Amino acid sequence: MQEDVRTIRNRKTGEKVCEKLRSRGFAAWYCATAQEGLQQALQLIPEGSSVSWGGCKSAEEIGLLDAVRSGNYHVLDRDTAQTAEERTAIMKQALTCDVFLTGSNAITEDGELVNIDGNGNRVAAMTFGPDSVIVIVGMNKLTKTVIDAANRARTEAAPINAQRFASLKTPCQIDGMCHDCNSPDSICNYIVRTRRCKPAERIKVILIGQSLGF
């Protein structure tokens, strides 16, 4: 059977982006499918590890969160909290876990990550704290430049993400478009560009050849 042209393009581009990521100190793998990405991620999580995550739709979509919850790991899951105070406490514990799972709002062809956050817990864990960070990224997150990546994070990812929270009082929650708002409910409070990984290979990027997350 002839390989689909989109699959060919994704593989060629994905492998090149992984080379760029490695040149910046990241560990990086290209996986053609979600199942391959799941298996690669699980190989990077030692049994018995403490594992947590921020908002991570991509990891959820490939089955990674369910696999961790059912596996031999110490899971720090903020969604199990009974109160707001307990939820915050779990989020703080996640900053010192063994393995932190996350997605990325955008990734450039030159191997840089751009992420936007409301509370800052996700980007904080990416930059410092957990011993290992595993980033699950679909090819739909790929952009040409850092400027394109920031635009994608703000004008595409954030307004879609806002639809998950009916109680938000932001312009994008109402009409789905970014207004560069200064709302108290803004989920665009922290924008982080990760241009290199230090120490080397602490951040492990798994680029998957399909559309994931938003």
Side-chain angles (χ1 to χ4, degrees):
M1 182 180 296
Q2 186 174 7
E3 192 175 18
D4 178 78
V5 291
R6 292 180 180 83
T7 301
I8 297 172
R9 180 266 177 183
N10 284 349
R11 172 172 45 79
K12 289 180 177 179
T13 305
E15 289 174 353
K16 187 66 176 180
V17 173
C18 285
E19 290 178 10
K20 293 290 188 178
L21 285 161
R22 295 184 196 110
S23 75
R24 293 178 176 275
F26 300 91
W29 296 263
Y30 176 75
C31 296
T33 66
Q35 184 60 33
E36 290 176 18
L38 171 61
Q39 294 307 313
Q40 178 60 63
L42 290 174
Q43 290 178 28
L44 300 173
I45 309 175
E47 287 196 8
S49 299
S50 57
V51 184
S52 194
W53 52 85
C56 190
K57 193 67 175 175
S58 297
E60 179 183 343
E61 288 179 357
I62 70 169
L64 182 55
L65 301 190
D66 285 341
V68 168
R69 289 187 181 107
S70 62
N72 182 24
Y73 310 103
H74 174 53
V75 177
L76 300 168
D77 185 352
R78 64 185 182 179
D79 291 334
T80 63
Q82 300 299 307
T83 66
E85 292 76 15
E86 183 182 356
R87 183 179 177 86
T88 298
I90 293 173
M91 290 164 68
K92 289 182 177 180
Q93 291 175 48
L95 297 176
T96 57
C97 69
D98 297 321
V99 181
F100 189 84
L101 311 176
T102 184
S104 185
N105 296 129
I107 180 171
T108 72
E109 291 182 359
D110 200 38
E112 297 188 50
L113 307 178
V114 174
N115 283 279
I116 198 163
D117 213 352
N119 295 316
N121 61 296
R122 183 172 67 96
V123 295
M126 291 182 74
T127 58
F128 187 81
D131 293 334
S132 177
V133 176
I134 299 175
V135 184
I136 307 298
V137 193
M139 286 293 287
N140 55 309
K141 307 293 185 67
L142 191 62
T143 65
K144 192 72 178 176
T145 68
V146 169
I147 293 174
D148 295 333
N151 285 337
R152 185 192 189 283
R154 297 202 65 184
T155 65
E156 183 174 351
I160 295 173
N161 192 32
Q163 306 312 309
R164 299 166 56 215
F165 309 105
S167 62
L168 279 183
K169 294 180 175 60
T170 62
C172 69
Q173 209 288 329
I174 295 171
D175 66 15
M177 295 185 290
C178 177
H179 295 260
D180 193 21
C181 76
N182 190 27
S183 167
D185 280 352
S186 174
I187 60 171
C188 301
N189 298 316
Y190 304 94
I191 303 175
V192 174
R193 170 188 175 186
T194 308
R195 60 178 302 273
R196 281 192 57 83
C197 177
K198 184 179 180 179
E201 299 192 351
R202 172 181 169 269
I203 300 176
K204 303 160 180 65
V205 180
I206 300 175
L207 183 57
I208 298 176
Q210 60 188 73
S211 179
L212 295 170
F214 36 77

